[in-house]
Amino acid sequence: MKRIKILLTIMTMVVFAMPLAAQTPSAGDNAARVNAIISKMTLEEKIDYIGGTGFAVRAMPGLKLPSLEMSDGPIGVRSNQRFPSTTYAAGIGLAATWDRDLAQRVGDGIGKDARARGVHFMLGPGMNIYRSPLNGRNFEYFGEDPFLAGQIASNYILGMQKNGVSSTAKHYLANNSEYLRHDSDSVVDERALREIYLPAFEASVKHGHAGALMDSYNFINGTHATQNGYFNIDVLRKDWGFDGVMMSDWVATYDGVAAANNGLDLEMPTGAYMNRETLLPAIKDGRVKEATIDEKVRHILTTAVRFGWLDREQRDESLSTYNQANHNVALESARESITLLKNDGGVLPLDKNKIKSVLVVGPDAYPARVVGGGSGGVNPFSAVSPLEGIAKLLGPSVIVHYEQGLPMLADAAGMTAFTTEANGGKPGVTMEVYKNTKLEGSPESTSVIHAINRKGFGWDELFGGDFSDFGALAGAMQRSESRRFTGYYNAPEATTYHLYVHGPMENCGYRVFVDGKLVADNWDILKASEYATALPLTAGPHKVVAEDYQTGLFGGRLRLAIVDESKLVSAAAKRLAGKVDAVIITAGFNENNEGEGADRSFTLPFGQDEMIRELAALNKKTIVTVTAGGGVATAGWLGSVPAYVHNWYGGEQGGTALAEALFGEVNPSGHLPISIETRVEDNPTFHNYYPTPGTPHVEYKEGIFVGYRGYEHNHVEPQFPFGFGLSYTSFKIEKIKVEADKTPKAVMMHGLPALYTVSFDVTNTGSRAGDDVAQVYVGQRNAPVARPEKELKGFARVALKAGETRRVSVALDARAFTYYDVAGKHWHADAGKYTVSVGDSSANIAQKAELTIPAIEVSNIQ
Ligand code: BGC
């Protein structure tokens, strides 16, 4: 290992931000134009303007202000009328590509799709940090590392906004789980906020120049995001110089006056709190200044002027609505995201010329699982499932068998037979319905139903696809109901059964008792959308009582199945697995058990571990592919399969890309933007992921030690480390050199000049072309404050032909060395020795160099 030492003579470097290229031409003229409009508005009009109308900023025809349309984001344009749109690989997959240019192309594609549909604000990208695999919305976000998340987010935003469409960076801030999302209070220390949770937003503002941000539902350190002046004003506006729109998440405003005074510009979806009724008297008696309202209107109008919305139609009819170039970008994003995690004996790629028959099996084989559930869902024009992708690639000469392999949980719930009494009752379950959430008083109705298998309400059921019907929303929000289901399950034999429950979403809860014992408790905290537990039962009848309540939009779903897992896997799947040349298992989640409004389990859903184990025992060439927005428990099956491919949610072309990777037409190049733990208990947040009992406080006790920072600090080895990903070729990284940057220039993220350049050779030592992701980590030797062993501070995705070597340079700015000095309110690095390392995962460091630097101080305010 070559060691390089650079000694600079100056003892302290004070680093100033360099101004980024001006993004708003003739700012003075624009300000005058905006002020002229504001001066024509009555106070009432200004107040109306800062309350949305569904998915839009209202039109004011008298002032020639058009309606400013919005659409979710972030994985494609999810038009509110369910109009289809290109569906790209999900955010976590985009982060797995480590490809800034691709992030720009995806942003650009979505920007064009938005312009073709007349959308002004896209509600994305989402960039909340992956603290734990349990968060139901991890699939939308960019993983556990703030640097990687900031790079992907800001490039996506740059790509999108050059089309005259504003992105909306969300959800600001510390919204890292889906349970109790309106009520939980994220208690996070200042260092963790500055170093882990804020940087992706900071990059979105300083580098991406995002037009809008969205405040989250939760509290942060005791104050709701929408009325948290520290984050909305001090950090965002004063420290970072944000000049765009701060909008609320949908129904995330709780106090009109507090929100008005603490930095919220636009209440969405309506002005339920920031309205005339609340604000006119508050302005009259001085609790809110009229100038504060003017400022909000100014932020919206300045953004409208900046993006040209007052000067042209937003729908650009020179663009295709069905955009073939964008479908190609969607395919590219899926291709690059696929992450190969195990490939023993080079079982992959499969050789399509040698394979005569294949079994594609599992719940995610067909139909395509393009994206997780909730507002991040997109409706593609068409989508390719893994089954279709594989069959198309193999062509007619190969026999492609398909089996679901397992019943769906809903089918198993329907088949779980109950009787109303232990002996001599009727078939079925007694359902009592109460018109309150606590099962109080006498039930409003009592009936006997076939099984505990209630579908309930989701987005589609509620609005029939029309997301702008907020009358329906208001009605549904009033719902308040609880139910008790009582029945007897007659266990055919004494064995360990499994109880599975697919529960409701936010503002709901459920629990299950078997023979009087609580076996599933999701009453106060809805821990996972799908819940499983082992259930040892004696032969004979057992009393099962399931209770649930619903208070908001999404209640009603409750499916309960009791199964003997050894009898779950279909006989046909087992028979075929023993016969075919290769078995491709498509395991994972889908839009119903991973998504917004509920967390998910770490273990794979219903029966899948068992399915993998049984099929792998029947065929040595069993390949496991997993569709999931993050890590899953692999301990139950990884040792019994030779290959594991993590394919995230691949969007409309996910099946094509997966097939290409499995059969070697594309060399997998994704690298994990997360660490995957062996056991969920290993996760650094495990002991404090849920609120401190009896309080809403979610204490981020792990501080800055999130993800690999935490694994390294705790000396716990994950199953798969951050940054890891295999390829069908091999790479070598060597000849590291660190030197003072000779051409100071503004670098990514913070508008800071480069201080050092790290350069190294990357060689493709294998026999086929491929892309490596070289990752640059920096760590302080003998740091006087608690610091991670190393932190990602740069990376380069390098495409190399077989045998090719390329010299790669990565710039490091001051923030590569600094930590946040809470007392001094600035970024600080001690003078002394730092280790710069390069590898292709956080655990596979190929080269290290030692660097001695002078002390550095970087102001917070830029
Ligand atoms: C989600 C946001 C989304 C909004 C509008 C909310 O429930 O949290 O991410 O943009 O709805 O659909």
Side-chain angles (χ1 to χ4, degrees), residues 55 72 123 137 170-171 181 214 217 249-250 375 596:
F55 275 77
D72 278 304
L123 306 178
R137 292 185 87 170
K170 68 187 187 185
H171 308 87
R181 64 177 176 159
M214 183 190 289
Y217 288 112
D249 200 341
W250 268 234
S375 61
E596 183 177 338

Side-chain angles (χ1 to χ4, degrees), residues 391-576:
K392 180 146 188 242
L393 183 140
L394 289 176
S397 58
V398 178
I399 299 168
V400 178
H401 296 287
Y402 162 64
E403 285 292 324
Q404 199 173 276
L406 293 165
M408 303 302 278
L409 176 45
D411 299 330
M415 288 183 312
T416 301
F418 289 100
T419 48
T420 54
E421 301 296 337
N423 298 301
K426 288 188 269 181
V429 179
T430 305
M431 177 174 78
E432 297 161 301
V433 180
Y434 298 79
K435 282 289 154 206
N436 58 66
T437 56
K438 296 198 171 108
L439 303 148
E440 276 169 355
S442 8
E444 200 191 65
S445 70
T446 302
S447 52
V448 173
I449 55 169
H450 168 67
I452 307 173
N453 197 16
R454 314 302 285 178
K455 181 169 188 272
F457 300 100
W459 296 78
D460 284 352
E461 289 80 13
L462 273 173
F463 302 118
D466 180 1
F467 291 94
S468 54
D469 183 356
F470 281 90
L473 186 138
M477 292 287 278
Q478 304 306 319
R479 209 137 42 86
S480 161
E481 193 180 87
S482 51
R483 300 178 296 190
R484 180 179 291 120
F485 303 86
T486 308
Y488 289 81
Y489 176 73
N490 200 354
E493 57 184 311
T495 188
T496 297
Y497 293 82
H498 276 79
L499 172 90
Y500 280 93
V501 186
H502 194 191
M505 296 196 277
E506 66 179 6
N507 302 321
C508 305
Y510 70 90
R511 60 191 168 203
V512 181
F513 300 85
V514 174
D515 296 328
K517 194 172 147 227
L518 186 60
V519 295
D521 185 5
N522 280 276
W523 192 259
D524 292 325
I525 301 175
L526 195 55
K527 289 192 172 147
S529 150
E530 195 178 307
Y531 177 87
T533 187
L535 197 63
L537 295 180
T538 53
H542 295 271
K543 187 174 184 186
V544 176
V545 177
E547 298 172 341
D548 73 356
Y549 67 88
Q550 304 124 49
T551 61
L553 285 179
F554 298 114
R557 181 176 62 204
L558 192 72
R559 303 186 192 276
L560 184 151
I562 299 176
V563 294
D564 175 350
E565 285 201 329
S566 69
K567 301 202 170 97
L568 270 189
V569 184
S570 80
K574 289 196 270 194
R575 195 182 61 247
L576 290 165

